Amino acid sequence: MQPSENTGHPRRWAILGVLVISLLVVVLDNTILNVALRTLADPVHGLGASQGELEWSINSYTLVFAGLLFTFGVLGDRAGRRRMLLIGLALFGLASLLSAYAQTPGQLIAARALMGVGGAAIMPATLSIISNVFDPRERGRAIGIWAGAVGLAVAIGPVLGGLLLEHYWWGSVFLINVPVVALGVILVASLVPESRDPEPGRVDAFGVLLSVVGLVALTYGIIDGGEHGFGRPLVWASILGGVAVLAWFVLHERRSSHPALDVRLFRVPRFAAPVAMIGLVFFAAMGVMFFSSFYLQLVRGYSPLETGLLFLPFAVAQLVFAPRSATMVRRYGGRAVAVVGLVLTSVALGAFAFVDVATPIWLVLVAFFLQGVGMANIMPPATESIMSALPREKAGVGSAISNTIRQVAAALGVAVIGSVLAAGYRNGIEPALADLPPAADAAAGESIAGAYAAAGQLGPAGPRLVAAANDSFVSAMHLSATLAALVAAAGILVALRFLPGRASTGAPARIGGPGLAAATPGQGQ
């Protein structure tokens, strides 16, 4: 074989298109859900979900997703990546039906958890198949297109969600997944080749169990503390218990011969630095996305459709710049590109610390656009660095780790930043609740959505409560945005210290060199 011969699959670009459709259904659902949060909080047109229940409707999905990615990455390597992708699509479609017809917030949370099972089977399969059907020289471009598909889903999701909510009931935002899943199943079965790891590892079931229990306990404590206060023993028992279980998980993984997550991989800067960057960015960005939907729909009074359209600058920036990031990395080096992306993202998130009830909306659109440009120049080079640190046959594991960190960080970002927002709002609104009836007091003190619902029953006193709720929410948003910007800015230090520069980006890194088996997760000793 000549060195210049392309080793990719003959139908690799058509296969990439199929994988993009499969990816769209996962990303589309979460972006649609962001626009639907306000409706789900409405007791008349939605489910009357509290802020904590809304956070759990997001985090039940992301926690299950993150907890099972390791296992499904290894199962896909063992049983077949196309098979795992088909199973994941079928589960996701079924769970979407259950979500659409949920009667209570609890039922929605449970159905969303099942969607997380399907998503955990879909996501690592798409990246691992890309790594197997593309030549290493084309893989960076393919991953850039794959990341651009995320931008496409971000663009479609809010607008589609807004259109559905304008004309149909809230469950339609989940029902829309079903035809996309059906198309994905047909195309995957027709075009995508089967691939497996010739030396698959065993599944670390106990490690997976520890990771799920630890993450759920930690996140429950953070969300419950933000909603009801951190002064109760149950909250700290949950938080400290979750941290203890996660520490046990790390110790177990270090000693296991077939770890779900080989923590030794994090000793390699080319692997660990982009993983840390992804975690920091998604922690910050998803927290801001959570509160920005409420800001636009309640404080500014935009409809769900108008809110979806206002998110378009972020999505368009992702769609335009993500596929071009591989070229930028080749020209300027991964470190420079990532640092610029992190600076733009930090500035964009920090801008919300200066946004109030009367800020010109075009400034908010500029912030969304800058955030999209920044994240478009972080994700593809970071993902390529992670994937290039492992050989092709271990692509499922590399994909699982990068996506797990992203999902865990997103869940914790929504939980932590949402809790800061809830606590700040409660402190700010408290003086305005003194003369309200008990029912209105409880609703308005819980969330801004509750305040708007209560204001509708108060007659002439309603506008005063709305004004107080808006002021309290905006003040809490400023604090939350500052925290998000600082977290994202920490990624700049990581990139400057650990990412390879221009001279080091030409050849893929190989963790462990000749002794790769000693540092590759999912492979027995």
Side-chain angles (χ1 to χ4, degrees):
M1 181 180 295
Q2 298 298 318
S4 60
E5 183 176 345
N6 193 310
T7 60
H9 192 281
R11 296 197 308 269
R12 58 192 177 278
W13 295 108
I15 292 167
L16 178 62
V18 175
L19 297 176
V20 163
I21 292 174
S22 301
L23 176 68
L24 282 177
V25 73
V26 178
V27 182
L28 189 69
D29 175 74
N30 281 320
T31 56
I32 285 179
L33 182 59
N34 282 333
V35 176
L37 290 174
R38 165 71 181 93
T39 304
L40 288 170
D42 191 306
V44 177
H45 300 102
L47 295 176
S50 68
Q51 178 163 313
E53 288 168 336
L54 291 175
E55 290 179 37
W56 273 115
S57 71
I58 296 172
N59 287 341
S60 64
Y61 172 88
T62 53
L63 288 175
V64 172
F65 186 115
L68 293 177
L69 272 172
F70 297 132
T71 298
F72 283 167
V74 174
L75 286 178
D77 289 342
R78 175 190 293 271
R81 288 141 185 165
R82 184 180 71 167
R83 179 180 300 174
M84 188 61 62
L85 182 55
L86 289 170
I87 291 171
L89 286 168
L91 280 174
F92 201 93
L94 172 62
S96 296
L97 280 173
L98 295 175
S99 297
Y101 293 100
Q103 301 298 307
T104 66
Q107 290 178 9
L108 177 61
I109 291 167
R112 289 277 298 161
L114 181 59
M115 291 176 74
V117 178
I122 294 169
M123 184 69 84
T126 60
L127 261 181
S128 58
I129 291 170
I130 287 173
S131 292
N132 274 274
V133 301
F134 278 91
D135 184 279
R137 291 167 293 182
E138 293 180 325
R139 186 170 56 196
R141 182 184 173 198
I143 290 177
I145 294 172
W146 177 90
V150 175
L152 178 62
V154 171
I156 295 172
V159 178
L160 180 59
L163 283 170
L164 291 170
L165 291 170
E166 293 257 328
H167 299 286
Y168 304 101
W169 99 113
W170 64 265
S172 60
V173 302
F174 297 107
L175 206 58
I176 194 64
N177 294 334
V178 177
V180 182
V181 165
L183 177 63
V185 167
I186 293 170
L187 292 176
V188 169
S190 303
L191 291 175
V192 176
E194 188 60 280
S195 62
R196 295 177 176 85
D197 184 351
E199 299 179 9
R202 289 186 290 158
V203 178
D204 180 16
F206 184 63
V208 171
L209 178 64
L210 288 176
S211 68
V212 173
V213 170
L215 287 170
V216 170
L218 175 61
T219 306
Y220 173 82
I222 293 171
I223 291 176
D224 192 60
E227 188 174 11
H228 302 294
F230 285 91
R232 294 173 301 132
L234 176 62
V235 169
W236 287 105
S238 180
I239 292 174
L240 296 177
V243 171
V245 173
L246 290 174
W248 185 7
F249 167 72
V250 172
L251 291 174
H252 171 76
E253 296 304 290
R254 291 182 62 184
R255 297 168 181 169
S256 175
S257 62
H258 53 285
L261 171 62
D262 193 332
V263 294
R264 290 170 294 183
L265 292 177
F266 293 94
R267 298 174 183 171
V268 180
R270 182 156 187 180
F271 183 90
V275 165
M277 283 166 38
I278 288 173
L280 292 168
V281 165
F282 270 84
F283 179 99
M286 292 308 296
V288 171
M289 285 290 189
F290 178 76
F291 69 65
S292 60
S293 177
F294 286 96
Y295 168 76
L296 292 172
Q297 291 188 58
L298 289 173
V299 176
R300 301 305 295 264
Y302 291 103
S303 70
L305 176 57
E306 290 169 336
T307 299
L309 292 171
L310 291 172
F311 280 121
L312 278 179
F314 172 82
V316 169
Q318 288 266 304
L319 191 61
V320 171
F321 287 93
R324 292 167 172 76
S325 64
T327 301
M328 300 294 288
V329 170
R330 285 193 297 270
R331 181 174 300 176
Y332 301 108
R335 181 191 299 153
V337 173
V339 167
V340 170
L342 286 160
V343 169
L344 289 174
T345 302
S346 301
V347 169
L349 298 179
F352 281 92
F354 303 95
V355 168
D356 59 28
V357 295
T359 298
I361 199 62
W362 67 266
L363 290 175
V364 177
L365 299 183
V366 170
F368 281 147
F369 182 79
L370 288 178
Q371 182 185 346
V373 175
M375 293 182 68
N377 284 289
I378 296 168
M379 293 304 301
T383 304
E384 164 63 9
S385 180
I386 292 168
M387 298 300 289
S388 67
L390 295 172
R392 280 188 180 188
E393 63 272 15
K394 297 298 179 184
V397 175
S399 169
I401 291 174
S402 63
N403 282 288
T404 295
I405 296 299
R406 182 168 63 86
Q407 292 294 334
V408 169
L412 291 177
V414 170
V416 173
I417 294 178
S419 294
V420 171
L421 182 76
Y425 170 81
R426 278 201 319 274
N427 291 335
I429 195 69
E430 190 171 352
L433 305 180
D435 299 326
L436 296 183
D441 184 329
E446 181 183 280
S447 67
I448 186 174
Y452 269 71
Q457 310 297 321
L458 294 178
R464 288 197 301 274
L465 177 59
V466 167
N470 285 344
D471 290 341
S472 300
F473 182 87
V474 168
S475 296
M477 184 178 76
H478 291 168
L479 180 61
S480 301
T482 301
L483 172 61
L486 291 174
V487 170
I492 299 172
L493 302 179
V494 173
L496 288 173
R497 174 65 180 84
F498 296 108
L499 273 193
R502 183 176 180 180
S504 305
T505 57
R510 289 291 183 232
I511 295 176
L516 180 64
T520 301
Q523 183 169 327
Q525 300 300 311

